[in-house]
Amino acid sequence: MPIPSVNVAIRDPGLGIVEGPAANAQCVIGVTSQGVANTFYAYQTISDLVSNLGTGPGVEAAALALSIDGHGSVYLVRPQTSVAGSNSVVTPSGSGPLVAVSGTPLDDYQGVVRIVSDGAVGTATFVISLDGGDNFSSVITTAASYPIPGTGLTAAFPAGTYVANDTYSWNSLAPAMNVTDLVAALDAAVAGTPRFGILHIVGAPATAIDAATLAASVEVKLQEIAASKKRWLRALIHVPDVPDASLVSAFGNVAASRVCACAGFAETVSAVSLRAYKRSSGFAVAARVGAAPLSEHLGRVASGSLIGVRRIYRDEAVTERLDAARFTTLRTWVGRQGYYITRGRLLAPAGSDYQQIQLGRIADVACTAVYDRLLDYENDSVRVYPLRDAKAGRILESDARAIDTELEAVLKDVLVNTTPQHVSDVQARVVRTDNILSTAELRAEIAIVPKGYLEVIRATIALTNPAIRELEAA
């Protein structure tokens, strides 16, 4: 006989498809330049975040989330980084000596050195950009070796004559975690006392196949956490900047209803440095999820364009393919400025109720509320019908009804009696047909009626002649 336990499962499907206090809290798992690996950190301000953890993709993702009005609590776990950082070959444009870049980058950079004035080393001057040329430093005098502040990188200027307006470009990738590193970081995240509903796993794997493997691994881990830790989470992952066909092929057989794969990249303004970096759409999506009401469709136009997104490199409204393949993408709308989320897609299989993240988040909040309430009944007693009754051994109707009422009350507290209201209705019903004396088991069925979402809107406009209508009426 198993030890006493309370188990809550999500039934899927149920819709027939052919906010608790922690609902908006998110935990970022991402690389930082400072801090202790696999340690759970909590922040409310960007200044504290930067002071303690320095720089890096994880810091940038957490800072963007903290910069959005209405954000929930932001936590961060710095993972081990088994994948080394790297710098591409420097590409010159001009006739001067070849500048070299070395070191371990602390973040992802699109580096550009531009010569400002001619001359030899020690005389020629230059400016440097880390965001592809959008923002440059003040003028610097060349030297044989120049440590680029706050990056972990060093630029080397060999002897020779430098020519004004020559440029030297390269890309840097920060160190990254592998799946083993991620699993250890996830364990550290759920070992923390505060609850959170959203995981933002920062960093795109090198290939589409690697990203699909990551999605499947994260799904297995989140299902395990739900079963063993009673923590119901949805995760956002990044996918690489590769052709759509590669992503569609790699993810075709992935079934991960707890994972949101964010495709496409955007020029995203750093909440720390105000530079604009090419980042995964996951940065903007995670920031929006952390501030949006629990039940809000992530593509809701009335909520406004995405904060911090200066431009997008892939527009689902122009190239309509990845949304249908269950990726979360960014898009434009004719007549509106800015950039928007198409849908908050989850990698759920066909027929699942949980095709979109807001529905998954609603279910997760319900699971937490029901678990907490049912735990109070663990090893408690209920009355059953007596021997001479046809329902002998089954739970007494009055006791069952009392539990129904309590469960509905807690569900209404987090889903119905809220502003905004997150669902249309809830219902809880204890199963009356089980012989409690034989099984020592109580079962309850929870039904949630979600809100409807207006994804396709049609209007018909026609010219009309009032005089003709009057004649027809006569």
Side-chain angles (χ1 to χ4, degrees), residues 335-352:
R336 292 294 174 99
Q337 296 293 317
Y339 305 97
Y340 300 80
I341 299 169
T342 309
R343 290 186 181 97
R345 286 287 201 184
L346 293 170
L347 294 169
S352 170

mmCIF file of all heavy atoms in Angstrom, residues 335-352:
data_model
loop_
_atom_site.group_PDB
_atom_site.id
_atom_site.type_symbol
_atom_site.label_atom_id
_atom_site.label_comp_id
_atom_site.label_asym_id
_atom_site.label_seq_id
_atom_site.Cartn_x
_atom_site.Cartn_y
_atom_site.Cartn_z
ATOM 1 N N GLY A 335 -1.573 49.109 -39.564
ATOM 2 C CA GLY A 335 -2.278 50.184 -38.867
ATOM 3 C C GLY A 335 -1.841 50.395 -37.439
ATOM 4 O O GLY A 335 -2.336 51.307 -36.773
ATOM 5 N N ARG A 336 -0.921 49.566 -36.933
ATOM 6 C CA ARG A 336 -0.414 49.741 -35.567
ATOM 7 C C ARG A 336 1.112 49.796 -35.591
ATOM 8 O O ARG A 336 1.757 49.032 -36.298
ATOM 9 C CB ARG A 336 -0.869 48.589 -34.656
ATOM 10 C CG ARG A 336 -2.364 48.557 -34.382
ATOM 11 C CD ARG A 336 -2.809 49.763 -33.559
ATOM 12 N NE ARG A 336 -4.245 49.817 -33.400
ATOM 13 C CZ ARG A 336 -4.897 49.388 -32.318
ATOM 14 N NH1 ARG A 336 -4.225 48.848 -31.315
ATOM 15 N NH2 ARG A 336 -6.209 49.484 -32.258
ATOM 16 N N GLN A 337 1.666 50.675 -34.795
ATOM 17 C CA GLN A 337 3.104 50.747 -34.634
ATOM 18 C C GLN A 337 3.578 49.653 -33.685
ATOM 19 O O GLN A 337 2.842 49.199 -32.821
ATOM 20 C CB GLN A 337 3.512 52.119 -34.086
ATOM 21 C CG GLN A 337 3.199 53.287 -35.011
ATOM 22 C CD GLN A 337 4.026 53.247 -36.277
ATOM 23 O OE1 GLN A 337 5.220 52.977 -36.245
ATOM 24 N NE2 GLN A 337 3.377 53.515 -37.415
ATOM 25 N N GLY A 338 4.812 49.254 -33.847
ATOM 26 C CA GLY A 338 5.400 48.322 -32.899
ATOM 27 C C GLY A 338 5.238 46.869 -33.289
ATOM 28 O O GLY A 338 4.808 46.527 -34.399
ATOM 29 N N TYR A 339 5.546 46.006 -32.334
ATOM 30 C CA TYR A 339 5.615 44.571 -32.594
ATOM 31 C C TYR A 339 4.841 43.818 -31.514
ATOM 32 O O TYR A 339 4.798 44.232 -30.347
ATOM 33 C CB TYR A 339 7.078 44.130 -32.634
ATOM 34 C CG TYR A 339 7.856 44.950 -33.643
ATOM 35 C CD1 TYR A 339 8.599 46.060 -33.228
ATOM 36 C CD2 TYR A 339 7.796 44.662 -34.995
ATOM 37 C CE1 TYR A 339 9.279 46.844 -34.151
ATOM 38 C CE2 TYR A 339 8.473 45.441 -35.928
ATOM 39 C CZ TYR A 339 9.213 46.530 -35.494
ATOM 40 O OH TYR A 339 9.861 47.310 -36.414
ATOM 41 N N TYR A 340 4.258 42.699 -31.929
ATOM 42 C CA TYR A 340 3.319 41.964 -31.078
ATOM 43 C C TYR A 340 3.626 40.471 -31.123
ATOM 44 O O TYR A 340 4.297 39.983 -32.039
ATOM 45 C CB TYR A 340 1.878 42.207 -31.552
ATOM 46 C CG TYR A 340 1.459 43.654 -31.514
ATOM 47 C CD1 TYR A 340 1.824 44.548 -32.530
ATOM 48 C CD2 TYR A 340 0.715 44.147 -30.447
ATOM 49 C CE1 TYR A 340 1.462 45.876 -32.485
ATOM 50 C CE2 TYR A 340 0.343 45.483 -30.394
ATOM 51 C CZ TYR A 340 0.721 46.344 -31.413
ATOM 52 O OH TYR A 340 0.357 47.669 -31.364
ATOM 53 N N ILE A 341 3.111 39.751 -30.135
ATOM 54 C CA ILE A 341 3.189 38.294 -30.129
ATOM 55 C C ILE A 341 2.021 37.758 -30.953
ATOM 56 O O ILE A 341 0.905 38.274 -30.859
ATOM 57 C CB ILE A 341 3.135 37.753 -28.689
ATOM 58 C CG1 ILE A 341 4.324 38.297 -27.878
ATOM 59 C CG2 ILE A 341 3.137 36.226 -28.672
ATOM 60 C CD1 ILE A 341 4.223 38.043 -26.387
ATOM 61 N N THR A 342 2.285 36.747 -31.772
ATOM 62 C CA THR A 342 1.212 36.153 -32.570
ATOM 63 C C THR A 342 0.259 35.391 -31.659
ATOM 64 O O THR A 342 -0.932 35.690 -31.581
ATOM 65 C CB THR A 342 1.788 35.203 -33.634
ATOM 66 O OG1 THR A 342 2.808 35.882 -34.367
ATOM 67 C CG2 THR A 342 0.700 34.746 -34.601
ATOM 68 N N ARG A 343 0.754 34.385 -31.017
ATOM 69 C CA ARG A 343 0.052 33.621 -29.980
ATOM 70 C C ARG A 343 1.107 33.095 -29.014
ATOM 71 O O ARG A 343 2.234 32.855 -29.406
ATOM 72 C CB ARG A 343 -0.698 32.406 -30.552
ATOM 73 C CG ARG A 343 -1.912 32.681 -31.394
ATOM 74 C CD ARG A 343 -2.581 31.343 -31.728
ATOM 75 N NE ARG A 343 -3.768 31.496 -32.556
ATOM 76 C CZ ARG A 343 -3.776 31.360 -33.882
ATOM 77 N NH1 ARG A 343 -2.637 31.108 -34.536
ATOM 78 N NH2 ARG A 343 -4.890 31.490 -34.572
ATOM 79 N N GLY A 344 0.719 32.869 -27.780
ATOM 80 C CA GLY A 344 1.615 32.214 -26.830
ATOM 81 C C GLY A 344 1.488 30.714 -26.986
ATOM 82 O O GLY A 344 0.889 30.037 -26.152
ATOM 83 N N ARG A 345 2.072 30.170 -28.037
ATOM 84 C CA ARG A 345 1.935 28.751 -28.362
ATOM 85 C C ARG A 345 2.704 27.866 -27.383
ATOM 86 O O ARG A 345 3.814 28.185 -26.969
ATOM 87 C CB ARG A 345 2.473 28.482 -29.759
ATOM 88 C CG ARG A 345 1.584 28.965 -30.897
ATOM 89 C CD ARG A 345 0.371 28.083 -31.038
ATOM 90 N NE ARG A 345 -0.220 28.199 -32.378
ATOM 91 C CZ ARG A 345 -1.337 27.597 -32.731
ATOM 92 N NH1 ARG A 345 -1.986 26.840 -31.863
ATOM 93 N NH2 ARG A 345 -1.829 27.749 -33.947
ATOM 94 N N LEU A 346 2.103 26.735 -27.051
ATOM 95 C CA LEU A 346 2.802 25.655 -26.373
ATOM 96 C C LEU A 346 3.003 24.524 -27.377
ATOM 97 O O LEU A 346 2.268 24.415 -28.357
ATOM 98 C CB LEU A 346 1.991 25.150 -25.170
ATOM 99 C CG LEU A 346 1.838 26.142 -24.017
ATOM 100 C CD1 LEU A 346 0.814 25.625 -23.006
ATOM 101 C CD2 LEU A 346 3.173 26.383 -23.314
ATOM 102 N N LEU A 347 3.974 23.671 -27.118
ATOM 103 C CA LEU A 347 4.266 22.555 -28.019
ATOM 104 C C LEU A 347 3.378 21.352 -27.709
ATOM 105 O O LEU A 347 3.835 20.211 -27.683
ATOM 106 C CB LEU A 347 5.743 22.176 -27.914
ATOM 107 C CG LEU A 347 6.742 23.228 -28.418
ATOM 108 C CD1 LEU A 347 8.160 22.848 -28.012
ATOM 109 C CD2 LEU A 347 6.623 23.385 -29.924
ATOM 110 N N ALA A 348 2.105 21.627 -27.470
ATOM 111 C CA ALA A 348 1.152 20.565 -27.129
ATOM 112 C C ALA A 348 0.781 19.779 -28.380
ATOM 113 O O ALA A 348 0.767 20.316 -29.485
ATOM 114 C CB ALA A 348 -0.095 21.173 -26.506
ATOM 115 N N PRO A 349 0.460 18.504 -28.213
ATOM 116 C CA PRO A 349 0.061 17.704 -29.379
ATOM 117 C C PRO A 349 -1.312 18.120 -29.888
ATOM 118 O O PRO A 349 -2.085 18.786 -29.184
ATOM 119 C CB PRO A 349 0.048 16.274 -28.829
ATOM 120 C CG PRO A 349 -0.206 16.431 -27.363
ATOM 121 C CD PRO A 349 0.484 17.711 -26.973
ATOM 122 N N ALA A 350 -1.623 17.721 -31.113
ATOM 123 C CA ALA A 350 -2.930 18.029 -31.701
ATOM 124 C C ALA A 350 -4.041 17.480 -30.814
ATOM 125 O O ALA A 350 -3.957 16.376 -30.294
ATOM 126 C CB ALA A 350 -3.028 17.421 -33.100
ATOM 127 N N GLY A 351 -5.097 18.272 -30.643
ATOM 128 C CA GLY A 351 -6.221 17.853 -29.816
ATOM 129 C C GLY A 351 -6.125 18.252 -28.368
ATOM 130 O O GLY A 351 -7.102 18.136 -27.618
ATOM 131 N N SER A 352 -4.969 18.724 -27.938
ATOM 132 C CA SER A 352 -4.802 19.147 -26.548
ATOM 133 C C SER A 352 -5.562 20.442 -26.291
ATOM 134 O O SER A 352 -5.697 21.294 -27.170
ATOM 135 C CB SER A 352 -3.319 19.361 -26.240
ATOM 136 O OG SER A 352 -3.142 19.993 -24.987
#
